[in-house]
Amino acid sequence: MSEALYPIAVEVNGAQRTSHVTARTSLVDWLREHLHLTGTHIGCEHGICGACSVMLDGEPVRSCLMYAVQADGHRIVTVEGLAHPDGRLSVLQDSFCETHGLQCGYCTPGMLIAAQALLERNPRPTEAEIRGAIGGNLCRCTGYQQIVDAIALAARRMAEGTT
Ligand code: FES
Ligand code: FES
């Protein structure tokens, strides 16, 4: 017997997307496999690493811990949605490049989402607040300092209006 499919309508990176999904389709699988938004990474698949982070109505969530049906009627921003519409990197993304805030890049989408959510609610975070905001995201490469530097640089550049 085939599994039942449920209709969902979700705003993803500013565009309305509709789909039919099984009840057990995870949000990260829907984003990656149905929408081909593969910037959202899958690491641990049980809520520990943060690689799958996306913003749901402005708050970072683990997309491996949500079902796609739970996103019905909500607004999602993935890492692809952080860049400018013409493809230029955002100030935050560019700051990660500037400070070498990534090596293998596996954690980077989740780090960017956590940082974006922080800067939207707190444009001038302290270093402790930056560390707190990315505290649920694991990075095996950088030692974290360059990521902290990147977020601090982005906050300064945004405050100065430099892009
Ligand atoms: S893959 Fe979701 S938290 Fe690790
Ligand atoms: S840059 Fe490799 S896991 Fe963070």
Side-chain angles (χ1 to χ4, degrees):
M1 196 171 73
S2 60
E3 270 184 274
L5 295 176
Y6 300 88
I8 59 171
V10 186
E11 183 188 309
V12 181
N13 299 333
Q16 195 68 15
R17 308 297 297 258
T18 57
S19 196
H20 285 77
V21 295
T22 67
R24 65 192 175 96
T25 300
S26 69
L27 179 58
V28 69
D29 284 344
W30 183 64
L31 291 170
R32 289 177 55 86
E33 294 172 16
H34 292 245
L35 303 188
H36 307 295
L37 293 170
T38 54
T40 301
H41 290 166
I42 298 174
C44 64
E45 286 193 277
H46 61 279
I48 301 297
C49 73
C52 65
S53 300
V54 298
M55 283 211 273
L56 177 81
D57 300 332
E59 292 296 325
V61 296
R62 312 292 211 217
S63 60
C64 71
L65 293 184
M66 275 188 67
Y67 293 113
V69 289
Q70 292 176 293
D72 183 36
H74 291 274
R75 181 170 47 89
I76 298 276
V77 175
T78 69
V79 70
E80 289 90 346
L82 299 186
H84 295 286
D86 63 5
R88 282 180 302 118
L89 297 181
S90 69
V91 172
L92 177 61
Q93 290 170 310
D94 188 64
S95 296
F96 269 67
C97 297
E98 196 67 32
T99 65
H100 304 288
L102 64 151
Q103 289 180 29
C104 79
Y106 206 85
C107 70
T108 309
M111 290 290 184
L112 286 166
I113 291 293
Q116 179 76 22
L118 169 68
L119 295 177
E120 285 183 8
R121 69 174 182 274
N122 178 6
R124 296 182 185 232
T126 63
E127 179 169 333
E129 288 168 335
I130 292 172
R131 289 184 181 278
I134 61 168
N137 293 67
L138 301 182
C139 175
R140 294 169 67 107
C141 306
T142 63
Y144 299 97
Q145 186 59 52
Q146 299 101 309
I147 294 173
V148 173
D149 293 344
I151 299 167
L153 174 62
R156 282 200 303 278
R157 288 171 64 183
M158 288 175 186
E160 293 164 359
T162 52
T163 58

